[in-house]
Amino acid sequence: MDFVKDRQYYVDQYDVLTIEDCLQWIEIARKSGRNVREIQKMDKIGYVGALAEIALYFKKGENYKQKESTIKKWMDRDKLAQEKYDNAQPPDNIFCDQCNFAMGFEGKDLHSSWDEYLQMLLFFECPNCHKRKVVCENGEIYDTRIKCPKCTLLMESTQTRKGELLTTTEICKSCGYKNIDVWDFEEDAKKSKLEEARRKYLLDNFRKEFCLTPEEGQQYIRDRITADHYAKVVDEKTKKDTDPRYQKARALKKIKVFEMEKLLKEVLEKEKYIELTFDRPEITKDVVIPFSVQESDSTRNDYDSQNDLKKLIKKTLEDTNWRLMSDGISQRLGILTGRVRGYENEDDIIKIV
């Protein structure tokens, strides 16, 4: 059994899904009054038409984005299945439960679900009584018996074939439940041919329209990155415009160093803190400037002098982008020192609001 197909098989599979997705969307758009086919023939595209075209473009582009990863997933899955199938070897010690004859190996298959192969099944038949048995790859017996949907007891199953019809009859001897399933091989073959013809029609008539070329797809990816970035910027701006914290941050006076020095000097001298000087600034993400000032009021003790200066600087800088740093104020012999930090970035300023 060949699980692995050539790459074009997987490309065709994916392109059919893309075409069906786009056609389904067009049908929905048509029912809502957005007939894409008519829109494409118009000289001037109105608002509704443009909206429909943009939505279809994004649908084609998003399908292209997922194309390679999906095809790779399908191919990897089938390669693993092929390896599993090729390497599966039947055990030698399988005996008939009815006559104890050594059973002969008849074949193997992979039990599969929609998106993955679950386990290898090995089929055996007794050469004496023709009873059959299914064994899993790990040696466990695979129970093919079916439980009754009414009483949950095991049902008896028989199969008969007449021409192209395979009839499976399941009977529960406990409650009398009976189920008959007829499989028409000829009808199934017709359906397969019709499905193949439908897929060929879709690929021949719609692949060029709905499946982007690598050049078109890469352009879409670049456009999408740009659009996502712009949308993120707009979203952040909208949040900031409506966020009271940002509004308050923007209301702060963003003053420069010389303005901050002038402001502090005027206020401090009124409160008898004189000879304000600033040392060399430390410029990293923010601007940090050490300062010193002299106490000229002999009636203030050291504690009050430090505490009053701290409160005075905090209040003076409250409406600006400058703050007294957390290490506070130190004092030696009437000289008080500290550091102030200036914030420039808006996201940093909001943290001090």
Side-chain angles (χ1 to χ4, degrees), residues 14 57-66 220 224:
Y14 191 88
Y57 173 67
F58 273 92
K59 183 166 287 292
K60 291 188 288 186
E62 289 303 305
N63 274 284
Y64 176 84
K65 277 181 64 177
Q66 303 299 323
Y220 169 82
R224 185 59 193 266

Side-chain angles (χ1 to χ4, degrees), residues 88-260:
Q89 298 298 325
D92 297 326
N93 55 344
I94 304 299
F95 297 93
C96 178
D97 295 332
Q98 183 162 315
C99 61
N100 207 33
F101 263 63
M103 304 187 79
F105 177 64
E106 293 293 316
K108 56 186 176 180
D109 193 13
L110 269 177
H111 182 50
S112 62
S113 66
W114 174 254
D115 61 348
E116 63 178 336
Y117 297 100
L118 300 179
Q119 60 180 325
M120 178 63 67
L121 299 181
L122 307 170
F123 301 95
F124 294 84
E125 183 174 347
C126 178
N128 180 51
C129 66
H130 302 292
K131 290 291 183 179
R132 295 180 178 181
K133 184 180 291 187
V134 182
V135 181
C136 299
E137 57 188 315
N138 60 3
E140 295 181 0
I141 303 301
Y142 183 80
D143 193 352
T144 58
R145 296 176 299 176
I146 302 171
K147 291 184 178 181
C148 175
K150 282 189 174 182
C151 65
T152 71
L153 295 178
L154 293 177
M155 298 196 299
E156 290 187 357
S157 177
T158 58
Q159 286 186 335
T160 57
R161 179 164 180 171
K162 186 176 182 181
E164 296 298 315
L165 298 179
L166 177 66
T167 303
T168 302
T169 304
E170 298 166 349
I171 300 175
C172 178
K173 290 189 175 181
S174 176
C175 68
Y177 174 81
K178 184 178 183 180
N179 179 59
I180 299 176
D181 181 68
V182 179
W183 184 268
D184 189 331
F185 289 97
E186 185 177 0
E187 185 65 25
D188 184 62
K190 289 180 181 179
K191 288 181 179 179
S192 296
K193 288 182 179 180
L194 287 173
E195 175 60 20
E196 186 59 34
R198 185 187 74 88
R199 288 161 52 83
K200 185 177 185 304
Y201 173 82
L202 291 177
L203 292 171
D204 291 345
N205 290 274
F206 297 105
R207 187 183 335 234
K208 186 175 180 180
E209 182 176 0
F210 296 131
C211 302
L212 300 183
T213 65
E215 294 77 14
E216 293 170 337
Q218 290 304 314
Q219 183 61 52
Y220 169 82
I221 291 174
R222 289 192 292 270
D223 291 344
R224 185 59 193 266
I225 291 173
T226 301
D228 288 347
H229 175 71
Y230 177 74
K232 184 178 179 181
V233 170
V234 171
D235 183 58
E236 289 178 353
K237 185 178 184 302
T238 302
K239 288 180 179 179
K240 289 180 180 180
D241 289 342
T242 57
D243 191 331
R245 297 174 301 165
Y246 275 96
Q247 293 173 359
K248 189 173 180 180
R250 288 171 179 172
L252 294 180
K253 298 175 185 176
K254 298 175 181 62
I255 60 177
K256 297 182 179 179
V257 175
F258 81 93
E259 295 174 297
M260 180 272 295

Side-chain angles (χ1 to χ4, degrees), residues 264-281:
L264 279 181
K265 188 172 183 180
E266 291 175 356
V267 174
L268 297 185
E269 284 182 350
K270 290 179 181 179
E271 298 299 324
K272 297 184 178 181
Y273 292 101
I274 62 174
E275 301 296 333
L276 176 64
T277 58
F278 290 88
D279 292 338
R280 185 181 182 88

